Amino acid sequence: MADVQGTTVTIPTRDGDADAYLTHPADGKPHPGVLFYQDAYGLRPWLNGMADRLAAEGYTVLVPNVFYRRGPAPVVELPEFIDPPSDPTIWERLGPLVHSITPERAERDADAYLGWMARSPLVADGPVAVTGYCMGARLALRTAATHPGRVAAAAGFHGGNLATEEPDSPHLGAGRITAELYFGHADQDPSLPEEQRRRLEDALTAAGVRHTSEVYEGAPHGYTQKDTSSYDAAAEERHWEALNSLLRRTF
């Protein structure tokens, strides 16, 4: 695995400047790009460490602060160990931020993130991959649908509300997707019940999207996040195997 170099960068968007964490192999050469969408807890040391691990596999990884409209990360101060059951005020503070990312804002932001990556000398020419966690899985699915010419692969892990009955549900963009998709669903996840998993599967299959959907048995929502009470080590390692396999097939 390669040594990596991480830094904070600024991405101009139509709604202001977004701060982001950028990490890449330390050789300074261009590498395939991966757009990494945060979970609801935002940019923080654990998420940056995940991006570094991915970069060490030979990728240039961009992790934008999707809540940049409310300020630079950390937008909400959180404890080193995040345990919402013991502090319900965490979601009282985060909920409005999550709901502020409308489909229209998500598409505009993806334009900016992907455009920045296309101009970066650290990102190899050609399409990119996208991965997302929790709310980031929704953003990854939307980005694959709204930017089919740029996104060759997209993955989502413990994503919620991927296939609701709302008229703007992310799964409704399946017909525009040309990327290969992978989903690692959390078994114990009230935000993505079996009904939604079936609806997502049916939409992707009907649209002819290359995809794999797996349910991680016993894994709770948030299983990849070691700094939270939802962490599951076995599920996290399974997610790395699946993500790296997808990226190797793509690049």
Side-chain angles (χ1 to χ4, degrees):
M1 297 176 68
D3 292 334
V4 302
Q5 181 177 345
T7 187
T8 299
V9 298
T10 300
I11 301 173
T13 82
R14 287 162 57 185
D15 296 335
D17 288 340
D19 53 308
Y21 180 68
L22 178 73
T23 180
H24 54 88
D27 60 12
K29 298 178 181 178
H31 292 272
V34 179
L35 175 58
F36 183 125
Y37 281 123
Q38 65 175 65
D39 64 354
Y41 299 129
L43 271 66
R44 59 193 192 282
W46 174 251
L47 217 64
N48 292 355
M50 290 180 68
D52 287 341
R53 178 170 173 172
L54 193 55
E57 296 289 340
Y59 306 106
T60 296
V61 184
L62 181 70
V63 193
N65 165 27
V66 303
F67 299 146
Y68 69 88
R69 293 173 181 84
R70 307 292 181 92
V75 177
V76 172
E77 293 291 343
L78 296 171
E80 289 187 12
F81 184 76
I82 304 167
D83 184 19
S86 68
D87 182 5
T89 68
I90 289 177
W91 276 106
E92 291 175 7
R93 288 174 282 156
L94 290 175
L97 294 175
V98 173
H99 293 302
S100 73
I101 309 301
T102 64
E104 293 77 19
R105 284 181 169 181
E107 182 172 357
R108 291 203 303 272
D109 289 347
D111 285 340
Y113 306 149
L114 294 173
W116 189 93
M117 295 177 78
R119 295 187 297 273
S120 172
L122 293 170
V123 178
D125 292 340
V128 302
V130 184
T131 187
Y133 301 82
C134 181
M135 65 170 287
R138 291 196 299 277
L139 295 175
L141 181 56
R142 291 195 189 282
T143 300
T146 57
H147 297 79
R150 285 284 289 139
V151 177
F157 299 94
H158 49 81
N161 297 315
L162 297 176
T164 71
E165 294 183 318
E166 297 300 316
D168 59 0
S169 176
H171 79 288
L172 297 175
R176 302 192 299 274
I177 294 173
T178 58
E180 179 181 353
L181 305 185
Y182 176 89
F183 291 99
H185 302 311
D187 180 34
Q188 307 297 319
D189 193 347
S191 70
L192 195 75
E194 184 178 354
E195 172 187 293
Q196 284 199 43
R197 295 200 297 264
R198 287 199 307 268
R199 188 178 294 131
L200 175 63
E201 182 70 18
D202 290 346
L204 296 175
T205 300
V209 177
R210 292 170 298 151
H211 70 282
T212 302
S213 297
E214 297 183 318
V215 177
Y216 290 22
E217 297 296 335
H221 180 81
Y223 59 75
T224 61
Q225 306 301 305
K226 192 173 184 178
D227 59 353
T228 78
S229 56
S230 298
Y231 179 65
D232 183 304
E236 187 216 356
E237 284 307 309
R238 180 177 174 182
H239 126 272
W240 282 118
E241 292 173 6
L243 178 58
N244 285 323
S245 178
L246 175 68
L247 295 179
R248 285 193 295 269
R249 289 197 300 275
T250 302
F251 298 120

